[in-house]
Amino acid sequence: MTGYLAPDGFLDDLLAELGDGAMVHDSLVFAPGPPRPVYWVENVWYDPVRLPVASIKSAARGLRAIQRNWALYPVRHHGRAKLIQEQLPHVSAKPLIFPATAPTAPLGSWMMEDEHTLIAAAHCSSPFRNGEVEFIENRTAPPNRAYLKLWEALAIAGKMPGPGSVTVDLGSSPGGWTWVLHELGADVISIDKAPLAPAIAALPRVDFRKQSAFALTPADLGPLDWLCSDVICYPERLLRLVKTWIDSGLCRNFICTIKFQGPTDHEITREFAAIPGSRVVHLHHNKHELTWMLIGDAKSS
């Protein structure tokens, strides 16, 4: 079987992707067979196994025999689970200081199935505890908290724009993503029909253009290193936009938010995921939205 941890509030979307045969433990879903292509998930548990819990010490010993680093998913028997976790090596869960990339050390996940059995997966899709990516936030400079989505996407991507990078931020108002790109040293073409926050508009490498993101063509902007979009639009419209840019060959790296303004459209999600070399993820800082990423050969900081 394979385990899938749903983002908070989106268990139904995950279950719709998995179909029948799932076993649900709170927000953690186990489904038979190898991993399936799902997107409403924060952490995937690969090849989970059941271990007996004869005692606190024997359970911890069994986990340590598999590997060092473990994160508890606290779903039941909380007191017993906490005592086992305390017997395991400490794993730092300090918030990241951006710019940062995702940890490389393996982090397994485990949970109590019942009083005498635990389920553990040494290999998981996320290097973060239960897929929860936390940062030391900047509560003064960015005009809203949307910047956390771009921080997380870049940390996961493992590449970032830097000095000399030419970037575009579509749907930029009030400027959270523009601020991130500028702080990394990039030149930013910031596009929106609504204005930027004055402090963001005044940044030296920000070229704000008051117009619709969809009125632009690749030829209007020329070669780019990064195209970033948090624009509010129907997913179909965003898909047409990114395919136009991919076909133009004028941009190598994309990070775009797929925003659902009604029921989740699983078919359009699969169309984004089918774009060669790309991936669709639900970031910890996403809401009723997914993030599509295509990361090529970038100028990195």
Side-chain angles (χ1 to χ4, degrees), residues 272-288:
F272 273 98
I275 295 173
S278 75
R279 61 189 294 204
V280 175
V281 297
H282 187 281
L283 302 175
H284 180 60
H285 293 96
N286 280 145
K287 296 178 182 177
H288 188 207

Side-chain angles (χ1 to χ4, degrees), residues 114-160:
D114 56 48
E115 188 177 359
H116 302 293
T117 312
L118 63 81
I119 299 177
H123 179 206
C124 294
S125 65
S126 176
F128 299 96
R129 187 187 306 270
N130 297 319
E132 298 175 359
V133 187
E134 301 291 349
F135 293 97
I136 300 292
E137 296 189 28
N138 186 319
R139 300 184 183 277
T140 56
N144 59 12
R145 298 185 78 247
Y147 74 96
L148 291 167
K149 290 187 287 188
L150 188 53
W151 273 11
E152 184 179 349
L154 290 169
I156 291 172
K159 288 185 177 180
M160 302 184 190

Side-chain angles (χ1 to χ4, degrees), residues 174-198:
W177 283 31
T178 292
W179 173 80
V180 171
L181 297 168
H182 182 272
E183 287 296 293
L184 288 169
D187 297 319
V188 190
I189 303 168
S190 187
I191 308 292
D192 206 309
K193 292 189 289 185
L196 292 176

Side-chain angles (χ1 to χ4, degrees), residues 31 35 39 48 66 89 92 101 117 143 145 154 169 177 185 191-192 208 211 221 234 245 252 264 271 275 293:
Y39 311 104
I66 298 173
S92 175
T101 54
T117 312
R145 298 185 78 247
L154 290 169
D169 177 16
W177 283 31
I191 308 292
D192 206 309
F208 176 66
Q211 62 186 111
L221 296 180
Y234 288 107
W245 273 94
R252 295 172 290 185
T264 302
E271 290 189 47
I275 295 173
M293 298 192 290

